[in-house]
Amino acid sequence: MPTVRMASAHRFSGRAQRTLSLRAPAAAVVLFSVLAAPALGGCEYSYDDGRGELPAAAPVVTDPLVPRDPLENMPVSGPELTAWAKEVLPDAEGQVFHTSYGSVSRGRSKTESTKQLPAGTYSLTLACRSGRRVAFTIRDSDFALVDLSLRCGTSRVNVVHLSEDSVLRVTVEARRDANFAYRISRI
């Protein structure tokens, strides 16, 4: 015959008390957090950096980029061209072997040659001034050392190594009228 197991009520009441005693501290922590959050949220650290308040009529800057002057990249001539070339080709460290600047007309190219350069490592600083990009190609007798389309308004420095004495040919091409400047100096 099957047997039925009987359990005492005292056994279940102890288990319920234990569960209740574990929940009580957790409930107290949650209640404290809810009550303390608004008080702690109002805390603020402030300090005096010595500056006064901004005037009420101070302009509000919404765009961090300053618009570029559209005339900044327009080609120039004469003394302005010389001043621009000095600005974009600052004094170089090392021995300068060749510096040139000038203008190239729309759709044209201009090729110049350097004197014979001894073997070594050189920095080539390139710059242009135009509404569009200007292409620079620098070749020795065998192949192109630099072949790039430069965004005007920036300067670019390339490093090349000549394994033997060479004469470099510099070709500048432009789709619009442009100014160019470059410097070849030994590192």
Side-chain angles (χ1 to χ4, degrees):
M1 176 176 306
T3 61
V4 177
R5 204 174 224 187
M6 301 292 275
S8 80
H10 294 291
R11 189 170 143 184
F12 290 118
S13 67
R15 192 180 289 169
Q17 260 184 341
R18 207 173 340 140
T19 306
L20 183 61
S21 66
L22 290 175
R23 289 185 186 163
V29 169
V30 170
L31 181 62
F32 175 76
S33 299
V34 168
L35 294 175
L40 294 176
C43 294
E44 179 180 326
Y45 179 76
S46 63
Y47 61 94
D48 182 16
D49 61 358
R51 295 185 288 180
E53 292 199 21
L54 292 175
V60 176
V61 177
T62 57
D63 187 9
L65 297 176
V66 177
R68 292 180 61 166
D69 181 5
L71 299 176
E72 181 179 282
N73 276 335
M74 297 309 293
V76 293
S77 60
E80 289 177 322
L81 176 60
T82 305
W84 172 78
K86 286 180 182 178
E87 180 183 327
V88 296
L89 299 174
D91 292 336
E93 292 183 22
Q95 184 180 9
V96 175
F97 278 87
H98 189 81
T99 300
S100 182
Y101 60 89
S103 298
V104 63
S105 300
R106 164 186 274 192
R108 303 280 182 161
S109 65
K110 188 171 195 174
T111 302
E112 299 178 350
S113 295
T114 66
K115 62 182 180 180
Q116 184 143 357
L117 303 174
T121 304
Y122 294 86
S123 70
L124 312 172
T125 305
L126 311 170
C128 63
R129 184 176 178 140
S130 176
R132 306 253 341 228
R133 291 179 173 262
V134 172
F136 288 87
T137 306
I138 301 173
R139 304 179 75 79
D140 67 357
S141 59
D142 296 330
F143 55 92
L145 301 171
V146 175
D147 188 8
L148 69 91
S149 176
L150 183 65
R151 180 176 56 118
C152 292
T154 62
S155 293
R156 172 78 183 250
V157 178
N158 293 312
V159 176
V160 298
H161 180 75
L162 301 176
S163 57
E164 58 186 39
D165 293 357
S166 300
V167 173
L168 300 182
R169 288 188 329 269
V170 179
T171 303
V172 181
E173 296 178 67
R175 292 186 181 180
R176 281 191 172 169
D177 291 346
N179 296 130
F180 67 90
Y182 64 92
R183 172 181 290 136
I184 301 171
S185 54
R186 191 170 195 167
I187 297 178

Coordinates of all heavy atoms in Angstrom, one line a residue, residues 96-172:
V96 N 69.6 73.5 -49.5 CA 68.6 73.7 -50.5 C 69.3 73.7 -51.9 O 70.2 74.4 -52.1 CB 67.8 75.0 -50.3 CG1 66.8 75.3 -51.5 CG2 67.1 75.1 -49.0
F97 N 68.8 72.8 -52.7 CA 69.4 72.6 -54.0 C 68.6 73.3 -55.1 O 69.2 73.8 -56.1 CB 69.5 71.1 -54.4 CG 70.7 70.5 -53.8 CD1 70.7 69.9 -52.5 CD2 71.9 70.4 -54.5 CE1 71.8 69.4 -52.0 CE2 73.0 69.8 -54.0 CZ 73.0 69.3 -52.7
H98 N 67.3 73.4 -55.0 CA 66.5 74.0 -56.0 C 65.2 74.6 -55.4 O 64.5 73.9 -54.7 CB 66.2 73.0 -57.1 CG 65.6 73.6 -58.4 ND1 66.3 74.3 -59.3 CD2 64.3 73.7 -58.8 CE1 65.5 74.7 -60.3 NE2 64.3 74.3 -60.0
T99 N 64.9 75.8 -55.8 CA 63.6 76.4 -55.4 C 63.0 77.1 -56.7 O 63.8 77.7 -57.4 CB 63.7 77.4 -54.3 OG1 64.3 76.8 -53.2 CG2 62.4 78.1 -53.9
S100 N 61.7 76.9 -56.9 CA 61.1 77.5 -58.0 C 59.6 77.8 -57.7 O 59.0 77.1 -56.9 CB 61.2 76.6 -59.2 OG 60.6 77.3 -60.4
Y101 N 59.1 78.8 -58.3 CA 57.7 79.2 -58.2 C 57.3 79.9 -59.5 O 58.1 80.4 -60.2 CB 57.4 80.0 -57.0 CG 58.1 81.3 -56.9 CD1 57.5 82.5 -57.4 CD2 59.3 81.4 -56.2 CE1 58.2 83.7 -57.3 CE2 59.9 82.6 -56.1 CZ 59.4 83.8 -56.7 OH 60.0 84.9 -56.6
G102 N 56.0 79.9 -59.8 CA 55.5 80.6 -61.0 C 54.1 80.3 -61.2 O 53.3 79.9 -60.3
S103 N 53.7 80.5 -62.5 CA 52.3 80.3 -62.8 C 52.2 79.4 -64.0 O 53.1 79.3 -64.8 CB 51.7 81.7 -63.2 OG 51.7 82.6 -62.1
V104 N 51.1 78.7 -64.1 CA 50.8 77.9 -65.2 C 49.3 78.2 -65.7 O 48.4 78.4 -64.8 CB 51.0 76.4 -64.9 CG1 50.0 75.9 -63.8 CG2 50.9 75.5 -66.1
S105 N 49.1 78.3 -67.0 CA 47.8 78.6 -67.5 C 46.9 77.4 -67.6 O 47.3 76.3 -67.6 CB 48.0 79.2 -68.9 OG 48.8 80.3 -68.9
R106 N 45.6 77.7 -67.7 CA 44.5 76.7 -67.7 C 44.8 75.7 -68.8 O 45.1 76.0 -70.0 CB 43.2 77.4 -68.0 CG 42.1 76.4 -68.4 CD 40.9 77.2 -68.8 NE 40.2 77.4 -67.6 CZ 38.9 77.8 -67.5 NH1 38.3 78.2 -68.6 NH2 38.3 78.0 -66.4
G107 N 44.8 74.4 -68.5 CA 45.0 73.3 -69.4 C 46.4 73.1 -69.9 O 46.6 72.4 -70.9
R108 N 47.3 73.8 -69.4 CA 48.7 73.7 -69.8 C 49.6 73.0 -68.8 O 49.1 72.8 -67.6 CB 49.3 75.2 -70.0 CG 48.6 76.0 -71.0 CD 48.9 75.6 -72.3 NE 48.3 76.5 -73.3 CZ 48.7 76.7 -74.5 NH1 49.8 76.1 -74.9 NH2 48.0 77.4 -75.3
S109 N 50.8 72.7 -69.2 CA 51.8 72.2 -68.2 C 53.1 72.9 -68.4 O 53.3 73.5 -69.4 CB 52.0 70.7 -68.5 OG 52.5 70.5 -69.7
K110 N 53.9 72.9 -67.3 CA 55.2 73.5 -67.3 C 56.2 72.6 -66.8 O 55.9 71.9 -65.8 CB 55.1 74.8 -66.5 CG 56.3 75.7 -66.5 CD 56.0 77.0 -65.8 CE 57.1 78.0 -66.2 NZ 56.8 79.3 -65.6
T111 N 57.3 72.4 -67.5 CA 58.3 71.5 -67.1 C 59.6 72.2 -66.8 O 60.0 73.1 -67.7 CB 58.5 70.4 -68.1 OG1 57.3 69.7 -68.3 CG2 59.6 69.4 -67.7
E112 N 60.3 72.0 -65.7 CA 61.5 72.6 -65.4 C 62.5 71.5 -64.9 O 62.1 70.4 -64.5 CB 61.4 73.6 -64.2 CG 60.4 74.7 -64.5 CD 60.2 75.6 -63.3 OE1 60.7 75.3 -62.2 OE2 59.6 76.7 -63.5
S113 N 63.8 71.7 -65.1 CA 64.8 70.8 -64.7 C 65.7 71.4 -63.6 O 65.9 72.6 -63.6 CB 65.7 70.4 -65.9 OG 64.9 69.7 -66.8
T114 N 66.2 70.5 -62.7 CA 67.1 71.0 -61.7 C 68.5 70.8 -62.2 O 68.8 70.2 -63.3 CB 67.0 70.1 -60.4 OG1 67.4 68.8 -60.7 CG2 65.6 70.1 -59.9
K115 N 69.5 71.3 -61.5 CA 70.9 71.0 -61.8 C 71.2 69.6 -61.3 O 70.3 69.0 -60.7 CB 71.8 72.0 -61.2 CG 71.7 72.1 -59.7 CD 72.7 73.1 -59.1 CE 72.6 73.1 -57.6 NZ 73.4 74.1 -57.0
Q116 N 72.3 69.1 -61.6 CA 72.6 67.7 -61.2 C 72.7 67.6 -59.7 O 73.4 68.4 -59.0 CB 73.9 67.2 -61.8 CG 74.2 65.8 -61.4 CD 74.8 65.1 -62.6 OE1 75.0 65.6 -63.6 NE2 75.1 63.8 -62.3
L117 N 71.9 66.7 -59.1 CA 71.9 66.5 -57.6 C 72.7 65.3 -57.3 O 72.6 64.3 -57.9 CB 70.4 66.3 -57.2 CG 69.4 67.4 -57.6 CD1 68.0 67.0 -57.2 CD2 69.8 68.7 -56.9
P118 N 73.5 65.4 -56.2 CA 74.3 64.3 -55.8 C 73.4 63.2 -55.1 O 72.3 63.5 -54.7 CB 75.3 64.9 -54.8 CG 74.7 66.1 -54.4 CD 73.8 66.6 -55.5
A119 N 73.8 62.0 -55.1 CA 73.1 60.9 -54.5 C 72.8 61.3 -53.0 O 73.6 61.9 -52.4 CB 73.8 59.6 -54.6
G120 N 71.6 60.9 -52.6 CA 71.3 61.2 -51.2 C 69.8 61.2 -51.0 O 69.0 60.9 -51.9
T121 N 69.3 61.6 -49.8 CA 67.9 61.7 -49.5 C 67.5 63.2 -49.5 O 68.2 64.1 -48.9 CB 67.7 61.1 -48.1 OG1 68.1 59.8 -48.1 CG2 66.2 61.1 -47.8
Y122 N 66.3 63.5 -50.1 CA 65.9 64.8 -50.4 C 64.4 65.0 -49.9 O 63.6 64.0 -50.0 CB 66.0 65.2 -51.8 CG 67.4 65.3 -52.3 CD1 68.0 64.2 -52.8 CD2 68.0 66.5 -52.3 CE1 69.3 64.2 -53.3 CE2 69.4 66.6 -52.8 CZ 70.0 65.4 -53.3 OH 71.3 65.5 -53.7
S123 N 64.1 66.2 -49.5 CA 62.7 66.5 -49.2 C 62.2 67.4 -50.3 O 62.9 68.3 -50.7 CB 62.5 67.1 -47.8 OG 63.0 68.4 -47.8
L124 N 61.0 67.1 -50.8 CA 60.4 67.9 -51.9 C 59.2 68.5 -51.3 O 58.2 67.8 -51.0 CB 60.1 67.0 -53.1 CG 61.1 66.0 -53.6 CD1 60.5 65.0 -54.6 CD2 62.3 66.7 -54.2
T125 N 59.2 69.8 -51.2 CA 58.1 70.6 -50.7 C 57.3 71.1 -51.8 O 57.9 71.9 -52.7 CB 58.5 71.7 -49.7 OG1 59.3 71.1 -48.7 CG2 57.3 72.4 -49.1
L126 N 56.0 70.8 -51.9 CA 55.2 71.2 -53.1 C 54.0 72.0 -52.6 O 53.4 71.7 -51.5 CB 54.6 70.0 -53.8 CG 55.7 68.9 -54.2 CD1 55.0 67.7 -54.7 CD2 56.6 69.5 -55.2
A127 N 53.6 73.1 -53.3 CA 52.4 73.9 -52.9 C 51.8 74.4 -54.2 O 52.5 74.6 -55.2 CB 52.8 75.0 -52.0
C128 N 50.5 74.7 -54.1 CA 49.8 75.4 -55.3 C 48.8 76.3 -54.8 O 48.3 76.3 -53.6 CB 49.2 74.3 -56.2 SG 48.0 73.3 -55.5
R129 N 48.3 77.1 -55.7 CA 47.3 78.1 -55.4 C 46.4 78.2 -56.7 O 46.8 78.7 -57.7 CB 47.9 79.5 -55.1 CG 47.0 80.5 -54.7 CD 47.7 81.8 -54.4 NE 46.7 82.8 -54.1 CZ 46.8 83.7 -53.1 NH1 47.9 83.7 -52.3 NH2 45.8 84.6 -52.9
S130 N 45.2 77.6 -56.5 CA 44.2 77.6 -57.6 C 42.9 77.2 -57.1 O 42.8 76.7 -55.9 CB 44.7 76.6 -58.7 OG 43.7 76.5 -59.7
G131 N 41.8 77.3 -57.9 CA 40.5 76.9 -57.5 C 40.4 75.4 -57.6 O 39.4 74.8 -57.1
R132 N 41.3 74.7 -58.3 CA 41.2 73.3 -58.4 C 42.5 72.6 -58.0 O 43.5 73.3 -57.6 CB 40.9 72.9 -59.9 CG 39.7 73.6 -60.5 CD 38.5 72.8 -60.8 NE 38.6 71.4 -60.9 CZ 38.0 70.7 -61.9 NH1 37.4 71.4 -62.9 NH2 38.0 69.4 -61.9
R133 N 42.6 71.4 -58.2 CA 43.9 70.6 -57.9 C 44.9 70.9 -59.0 O 44.6 71.2 -60.1 CB 43.6 69.1 -57.8 CG 42.8 68.8 -56.6 CD 42.6 67.3 -56.6 NE 41.9 66.9 -55.4 CZ 42.6 66.4 -54.3 NH1 43.8 66.2 -54.3 NH2 41.9 66.0 -53.2
V134 N 46.2 70.7 -58.6 CA 47.3 70.9 -59.5 C 48.1 69.6 -59.4 O 48.4 69.1 -58.4 CB 48.2 72.1 -59.2 CG1 49.4 72.1 -60.0 CG2 47.3 73.4 -59.4
A135 N 48.5 69.1 -60.6 CA 49.2 67.8 -60.7 C 50.7 68.1 -60.7 O 51.2 68.9 -61.5 CB 48.8 67.0 -61.9
F136 N 51.5 67.4 -59.9 CA 53.0 67.5 -59.8 C 53.5 66.1 -60.2 O 53.1 65.1 -59.6 CB 53.5 67.9 -58.4 CG 53.2 69.3 -58.0 CD1 52.0 69.7 -57.4 CD2 54.2 70.3 -58.2 CE1 51.8 71.0 -57.0 CE2 54.0 71.6 -57.9 CZ 52.8 71.9 -57.3
T137 N 54.5 66.1 -61.1 CA 55.2 64.9 -61.5 C 56.7 65.2 -61.4 O 57.1 66.1 -62.1 CB 54.8 64.4 -62.9 OG1 53.4 64.2 -62.9 CG2 55.5 63.0 -63.1
I138 N 57.4 64.5 -60.6 CA 58.9 64.7 -60.5 C 59.5 63.4 -60.9 O 59.3 62.3 -60.3 CB 59.2 65.1 -59.1 CG1 58.5 66.4 -58.7 CG2 60.8 65.3 -58.9 CD1 58.7 66.8 -57.3
R139 N 60.4 63.5 -61.9 CA 61.0 62.3 -62.5 C 62.5 62.4 -62.5 O 63.0 63.5 -62.6 CB 60.6 62.1 -64.0 CG 59.1 62.0 -64.2 CD 58.7 61.9 -65.7 NE 59.0 60.6 -66.2 CZ 58.2 59.5 -66.0 NH1 57.1 59.7 -65.3 NH2 58.5 58.4 -66.5
D140 N 63.2 61.3 -62.4 CA 64.6 61.3 -62.7 C 64.7 60.7 -64.1 O 63.8 60.6 -64.8 CB 65.4 60.6 -61.6 CG 65.2 59.1 -61.6 OD1 64.3 58.6 -62.3 OD2 65.8 58.4 -60.8
S141 N 65.9 60.3 -64.5 CA 66.1 59.8 -65.9 C 65.3 58.5 -66.1 O 64.9 58.2 -67.2 CB 67.5 59.6 -66.2 OG 68.1 58.7 -65.3
D142 N 65.0 57.7 -65.1 CA 64.4 56.4 -65.2 C 62.9 56.3 -65.0 O 62.1 55.7 -65.8 CB 65.1 55.3 -64.3 CG 66.5 55.1 -64.7 OD1 66.9 55.3 -65.9 OD2 67.3 54.8 -63.8
F143 N 62.4 56.9 -63.9 CA 61.0 56.8 -63.5 C 60.5 57.9 -62.7 O 61.3 58.8 -62.2 CB 60.8 55.4 -62.8 CG 61.6 55.2 -61.6 CD1 61.2 55.6 -60.4 CD2 62.9 54.7 -61.7 CE1 62.0 55.4 -59.2 CE2 63.7 54.5 -60.6 CZ 63.2 54.9 -59.4
A144 N 59.2 58.0 -62.4 CA 58.6 59.0 -61.6 C 58.8 58.8 -60.2 O 58.5 57.7 -59.6 CB 57.1 59.1 -61.9
L145 N 59.4 59.8 -59.5 CA 59.6 59.7 -58.0 C 58.4 60.2 -57.3 O 58.0 59.6 -56.2 CB 60.8 60.6 -57.6 CG 62.1 60.2 -58.3 CD1 63.2 61.3 -58.0 CD2 62.6 58.8 -57.8
V146 N 57.7 61.2 -57.8 CA 56.5 61.7 -57.2 C 55.5 62.0 -58.4 O 55.9 62.5 -59.4 CB 56.7 63.0 -56.5 CG1 55.4 63.7 -56.0 CG2 57.7 62.8 -55.3
D147 N 54.3 61.5 -58.2 CA 53.2 61.7 -59.1 C 51.9 61.9 -58.3 O 51.3 60.9 -57.9 CB 53.1 60.6 -60.1 CG 52.1 60.8 -61.2 OD1 51.7 62.0 -61.4 OD2 51.8 59.9 -62.0
L148 N 51.5 63.2 -58.1 CA 50.4 63.4 -57.3 C 49.6 64.6 -57.7 O 50.1 65.5 -58.4 CB 50.8 63.5 -55.8 CG 51.6 64.8 -55.3 CD1 50.6 65.9 -54.9 CD2 52.4 64.4 -54.2
S149 N 48.3 64.6 -57.4 CA 47.4 65.7 -57.6 C 47.2 66.4 -56.3 O 46.6 65.8 -55.3 CB 46.1 65.2 -58.2 OG 45.2 66.2 -58.3
L150 N 47.7 67.6 -56.1 CA 47.7 68.3 -54.8 C 46.5 69.2 -54.7 O 46.2 70.0 -55.6 CB 49.0 69.1 -54.7 CG 49.2 69.8 -53.4 CD1 49.3 68.8 -52.2 CD2 50.4 70.7 -53.4
R151 N 45.8 69.1 -53.6 CA 44.7 70.1 -53.3 C 45.3 71.4 -52.9 O 46.1 71.5 -52.0 CB 43.8 69.5 -52.2 CG 42.6 70.4 -51.8 CD 41.8 69.8 -50.8 NE 42.6 69.5 -49.6 CZ 42.4 70.0 -48.4 NH1 41.4 70.8 -48.2 NH2 43.1 69.7 -47.4
C152 N 44.9 72.4 -53.7 CA 45.6 73.7 -53.4 C 45.1 74.3 -52.1 O 44.0 74.0 -51.6 CB 45.2 74.7 -54.5 SG 46.0 74.2 -56.1
G153 N 46.0 75.1 -51.5 CA 45.7 75.6 -50.1 C 46.5 74.9 -49.1 O 46.5 75.2 -47.9
T154 N 47.2 73.8 -49.5 CA 48.0 73.0 -48.5 C 49.4 72.8 -49.1 O 49.6 73.0 -50.3 CB 47.4 71.6 -48.3 OG1 47.4 70.9 -49.5 CG2 46.0 71.7 -47.7
S155 N 50.3 72.5 -48.3 CA 51.7 72.2 -48.7 C 51.9 70.7 -48.5 O 51.3 70.1 -47.6 CB 52.7 72.9 -48.0 OG 52.6 74.3 -48.3
R156 N 52.7 70.1 -49.3 CA 53.0 68.7 -49.2 C 54.5 68.5 -49.2 O 55.2 69.0 -50.0 CB 52.3 67.9 -50.4 CG 52.6 66.5 -50.5 CD 51.8 65.7 -49.5 NE 52.2 64.3 -49.7 CZ 51.4 63.3 -50.2 NH1 50.2 63.6 -50.6 NH2 51.8 62.1 -50.2
V157 N 55.0 67.6 -48.3 CA 56.4 67.3 -48.3 C 56.6 65.8 -48.6 O 56.0 65.0 -47.9 CB 57.1 67.7 -46.9 CG1 58.5 67.3 -46.9 CG2 56.9 69.1 -46.6
N158 N 57.3 65.5 -49.6 CA 57.7 64.1 -50.0 C 59.1 63.9 -49.8 O 59.9 64.8 -50.0 CB 57.3 63.8 -51.4 CG 55.8 63.9 -51.7 OD1 55.0 63.3 -50.9 ND2 55.4 64.6 -52.7
V159 N 59.5 62.7 -49.3 CA 60.9 62.4 -49.2 C 61.3 61.3 -50.2 O 60.6 60.3 -50.4 CB 61.2 61.8 -47.7 CG1 62.6 61.4 -47.6 CG2 60.8 62.9 -46.7
V160 N 62.4 61.6 -50.9 CA 62.8 60.6 -52.0 C 64.3 60.4 -51.7 O 65.0 61.2 -51.2 CB 62.6 61.2 -53.4 CG1 61.1 61.3 -53.7 CG2 63.3 62.5 -53.6
H161 N 64.8 59.2 -52.2 CA 66.2 58.9 -52.1 C 66.7 58.7 -53.5 O 66.1 57.9 -54.3 CB 66.4 57.6 -51.3 CG 67.8 57.2 -51.2 ND1 68.7 57.9 -50.4 CD2 68.5 56.3 -51.8 CE1 69.9 57.3 -50.5 NE2 69.8 56.4 -51.4
L162 N 67.8 59.4 -53.9 CA 68.5 59.2 -55.1 C 69.7 58.4 -54.9 O 70.6 58.7 -54.2 CB 68.9 60.6 -55.7 CG 67.7 61.6 -55.9 CD1 68.3 62.9 -56.4 CD2 66.7 61.1 -56.9
S163 N 69.7 57.2 -55.6 CA 70.8 56.3 -55.4 C 72.1 56.7 -56.2 O 73.2 56.2 -55.9 CB 70.4 54.9 -55.8 OG 69.9 54.8 -57.1
E164 N 71.9 57.6 -57.2 CA 73.0 58.1 -58.0 C 72.7 59.5 -58.3 O 71.6 60.0 -58.2 CB 73.2 57.2 -59.2 CG 72.0 57.2 -60.1 CD 72.2 56.2 -61.3 OE1 72.8 55.1 -61.1 OE2 71.7 56.6 -62.4
D165 N 73.8 60.2 -58.8 CA 73.6 61.6 -59.2 C 72.5 61.7 -60.3 O 72.5 60.9 -61.2 CB 74.9 62.2 -59.7 CG 76.0 62.3 -58.6 OD1 75.7 62.0 -57.5 OD2 77.1 62.7 -58.9
S166 N 71.6 62.7 -60.1 CA 70.5 62.8 -61.1 C 70.1 64.2 -61.3 O 70.3 65.1 -60.5 CB 69.3 62.0 -60.5 OG 69.5 60.7 -60.3
V167 N 69.5 64.4 -62.5 CA 68.8 65.7 -62.8 C 67.3 65.4 -62.7 O 66.9 64.4 -63.4 CB 69.2 66.1 -64.2 CG1 68.4 67.4 -64.6 CG2 70.7 66.5 -64.3
L168 N 66.6 66.1 -61.9 CA 65.2 65.9 -61.8 C 64.4 66.8 -62.8 O 64.8 68.0 -62.9 CB 64.7 66.2 -60.4 CG 65.3 65.3 -59.3 CD1 64.8 65.6 -57.9 CD2 65.2 63.8 -59.6
R169 N 63.3 66.3 -63.3 CA 62.4 67.1 -64.2 C 61.1 67.2 -63.4 O 60.5 66.2 -63.0 CB 62.2 66.4 -65.5 CG 63.4 66.4 -66.4 CD 63.0 65.9 -67.8 NE 62.0 64.9 -67.9 CZ 62.3 63.6 -67.9 NH1 63.5 63.2 -67.7 NH2 61.3 62.7 -68.0
V170 N 60.7 68.5 -63.2 CA 59.5 68.8 -62.5 C 58.4 69.3 -63.5 O 58.6 70.3 -64.1 CB 59.7 69.8 -61.4 CG1 58.4 70.1 -60.6 CG2 60.8 69.4 -60.4
T171 N 57.3 68.6 -63.5 CA 56.2 69.0 -64.4 C 55.0 69.3 -63.6 O 54.6 68.6 -62.7 CB 55.8 67.8 -65.4 OG1 57.0 67.4 -66.1 CG2 54.7 68.2 -66.3
V172 N 54.4 70.5 -63.9 CA 53.2 71.0 -63.2 C 52.1 71.2 -64.2 O 52.3 71.8 -65.2 CB 53.5 72.4 -62.5 CG1 52.3 72.9 -61.7 CG2 54.7 72.3 -61.6

